[in-house]
Amino acid sequence: MRIYLEADYAAMSRRAANLIAAEVIRRPNCVLGLATGSTPIGTYENLIARNRAGDLSFREVRTVNLDEYKGLAPTHDQSYRYFMQTNLFDHVDILPENTNVPDGLAADADAECARYDALVASLGYADLQLLGLGRNGHIGFNEPDDHFTKETHVVDLTDSTIDANARFFATRDDVPRQALTMGVGCIMAARRVLLIASGADKADALYNAVCGPISPNCPASILQLHGDVVVVGDEAALHRIVEAGVSVCR
């Protein structure tokens, strides 16, 4: 596991974008696993700028997103399909048919999960999987539990996750209570994992993910078993890890 310490959110976003861009340049038809939430927005802005400058093309790239709210249409302004369109896909030269997000409106959610698992497997899994980190240590919507779930599945969101996402909705009651999420099996099958975190509110979760025991109580801790993980965080998110004497790249 390599850990990059950046001064702030902007520097973290540039570093993450550099790593993703290098993957696309090295392998133009790569499969990118993508994440939503506030943390990757700056990373996507950097990638858009490179595409517009002619330095980076997504024409052959295929993407698979981690998750989607159950019950939200792709056109809902808080759906993750909508997020990806407005924060990345609509602004770069990626082909729409090469972008994949779980269907939150599927009549049979379990069948949709099985379909999505098969789709990701048919692509050979992600060459690079981008992950954010929840305050409770979740990755995708894999919430703290008594076991790791391997397959894409429907998950009940915890109160802490609902609280964290309530700022994006008119009221807390509007936040969906369930989501479809890629399981840890799909995430761990990625050739490389890029975990990004920003802010002091992520410091405990990041410390537990990197330095704590491997436990489903902190889903991100499973990444300790992956052979190629890169962590990029700002000083606020990484301060506990630095204080513990863990080696970081500056």
Side-chain angles (χ1 to χ4, degrees):
M1 183 180 290
R2 287 166 291 156
I3 303 173
Y4 290 95
L5 173 64
E6 301 294 344
D8 52 26
Y9 176 79
M12 180 211 74
S13 298
R14 286 193 298 272
R15 170 77 71 172
N18 287 346
L19 293 167
I20 296 171
E23 183 69 33
V24 174
I25 291 168
R26 179 170 56 248
R27 193 176 312 203
N29 65 342
C30 66
V31 178
L32 295 180
L34 300 178
T36 55
S38 56
T39 306
I41 289 175
T43 300
Y44 294 151
E45 289 173 346
N46 276 269
L47 293 173
I48 290 167
R50 290 175 182 225
N51 180 252
R52 288 179 171 172
D55 297 329
L56 186 67
S57 174
F58 292 87
R59 188 75 182 175
E60 299 179 53
V61 170
R62 284 82 48 80
T63 69
V64 289
N65 260 78
L66 286 165
D67 42 30
E68 179 59 283
Y69 283 119
K70 188 174 185 289
L72 292 193
T75 54
H76 190 289
D77 65 4
Q78 293 304 320
S79 78
Y80 287 158
R81 164 58 79 173
Y82 184 92
F83 176 97
M84 292 307 307
Q85 293 298 143
T86 56
N87 286 285
L88 182 63
F89 297 155
D90 287 346
H91 308 288
V92 297
D93 62 343
I94 195 165
L95 299 177
E97 60 267 29
N98 285 345
T99 67
N100 298 282
V101 181
D103 181 4
L105 288 183
D108 186 334
D110 290 335
E112 170 61 9
C113 289
R115 181 199 70 81
Y116 201 71
D117 260 346
L119 168 69
V120 178
S122 73
L123 295 174
Y125 299 98
D127 292 300
L128 186 151
Q129 175 65 62
L130 176 65
L131 296 176
L133 180 68
R135 295 172 188 169
N136 61 3
H138 75 234
I139 47 176
F141 269 133
N142 292 282
E143 299 280 27
D145 204 341
D146 60 3
H147 65 282
F148 291 108
T149 302
K150 180 180 178 180
E151 300 84 7
T152 299
H153 59 287
V154 177
V155 62
D156 295 325
L157 303 185
T158 63
D159 285 341
S160 64
T161 296
I162 292 169
D163 289 340
N165 291 344
R167 68 189 188 276
F168 301 119
F169 292 81
T171 71
R172 187 181 188 278
D173 290 340
D174 293 325
V175 183
R177 266 42 184 179
Q178 291 184 308
L180 285 66
T181 187
M182 195 183 287
V184 296
C186 276
I187 293 171
M188 293 293 285
R191 186 174 59 83
R192 173 177 292 174
V193 174
L194 171 58
L195 177 68
I196 59 176
S198 174
D201 61 337
K202 300 295 179 69
D204 288 343
L206 190 55
Y207 176 84
N208 291 334
V210 173
C211 302
I214 299 170
S215 166
N217 288 320
C218 178
S221 65
I222 193 71
L223 298 177
Q224 295 177 37
L225 299 178
H226 195 284
D228 190 354
V229 176
V230 179
V231 176
V232 183
D234 60 18
E235 291 180 353
L238 280 168
H239 81 268
R240 286 199 63 192
I241 288 174
V242 172
E243 289 170 359
V246 177
S247 177
V248 299
C249 304
R250 297 176 183 268

